[in-house]
Amino acid sequence: SNGEVEEKTVNLELALMLKDKLEEQGFEVLLTRIEDVEMSLVERVQFATEVNADMLISIHQNASEYPSAEGIETWYYEGGNGENKRLASLVQNYIIHNTDTKSRGIQLTEDLYIIRECGIPACLVETGFLSNENDMEKLMSEEYRDKIVKGLADAVWYYYNPKKMYLTFDDGPSKENTARIL
């Protein structure tokens, strides 16, 4: 909380908006909370396990003692055969693409219990700094929150429906083989 805005309120609003958008696309979405209730990190991980979730995205806002700190960053844990990093990259890239906000990139951590312990593809996204006047003002805008949610929904969609394939090969190189393979 920064005195005016409580993080948990913005988190819940973004989560409810994302749930609606993803359900429109045919996804089943289960939230760890739908109202202002306390829920421990252990309980959140247990919930994801009990409902047999395929993915977990934890939505947050950042804060810093430095008022100039700004932007969006997405955290991931190195486990998960690279899927955590892939999910974090998609989340970060699509939110930045939709909001045109400063990117703080994807960040590797072992310290965030919920993404470390859940055992499924997971990331934690910091959608802006409540300690930064500009970020906070943007987060108060419904239009901006819509852009964040669109980015999150696009990331989930492309996680399950990738549109790019990268093909690499080693041909020598040679004039005949390279031309023939291409």
Side-chain angles (χ1 to χ4, degrees):
S1 173
N2 70 352
E4 293 177 43
V5 179
E6 288 195 324
E7 178 186 10
K8 64 184 179 178
T9 304
V10 179
N11 292 344
L12 182 56
E13 184 171 338
L14 288 170
L16 291 169
M17 292 168 66
L18 179 59
K19 180 181 190 295
D20 289 346
K21 187 167 279 302
L22 288 174
E23 285 177 345
E24 287 171 12
Q25 296 175 359
F27 290 97
E28 179 184 3
V29 180
L30 300 170
L31 302 177
T32 55
R33 66 184 180 101
I34 56 172
E35 56 187 343
D36 185 13
V37 294
E38 289 294 321
M39 190 173 202
S40 74
L41 295 175
V42 172
E43 290 173 315
R44 292 169 198 230
V45 169
Q46 286 173 337
F47 176 82
T49 302
E50 287 168 8
V51 300
N52 199 26
D54 297 314
M55 167 192 293
L56 184 141
I57 298 176
S58 189
I59 301 171
H60 295 267
Q61 284 82 55
N62 227 332
S64 172
E65 61 188 67
Y66 304 104
S68 61
E70 66 179 331
I72 295 170
E73 62 193 16
T74 304
W75 294 82
Y76 70 99
Y77 173 67
E78 198 161 43
N81 300 320
E83 288 303 299
N84 294 335
K85 185 175 184 180
R86 183 168 87 87
L87 176 59
S89 294
L90 286 167
V91 165
Q92 183 70 19
N93 291 338
Y94 279 101
I95 292 177
I96 295 302
H97 173 77
N98 277 287
T99 62
D100 197 27
T101 295
K102 178 183 177 182
S103 176
R104 297 173 60 90
I106 62 170
Q107 310 290 330
L108 176 64
T109 184
E110 294 184 4
D111 297 336
L112 298 172
Y113 180 90
I114 194 165
I115 60 175
R116 184 185 71 228
E117 298 297 326
C118 69
I120 55 176
C123 67
L124 184 148
V125 59
E126 299 277 9
T127 61
F129 280 80
L130 291 180
S131 55
N132 178 284
E133 197 173 308
N134 187 43
D135 275 8
M136 188 187 67
E137 189 175 304
K138 288 191 289 189
L139 284 163
M140 294 305 91
S141 155
E142 187 173 341
E143 180 184 351
Y144 185 76
R145 289 191 306 268
D146 282 341
K147 290 177 181 182
I148 290 172
V149 167
K150 182 177 182 337
L152 283 164
D154 288 349
V156 171
W157 177 260
Y158 286 111
Y159 180 85
Y160 290 109
N161 301 285
K163 297 290 186 197
K164 293 181 183 174
M165 183 177 92
Y166 297 94
L167 176 64
T168 65
F169 63 92
D170 187 354
D171 71 335
S174 70
K175 281 185 181 178
E176 316 81 47
N177 288 343
T178 300
R180 205 169 57 210
I181 290 171
L182 292 174

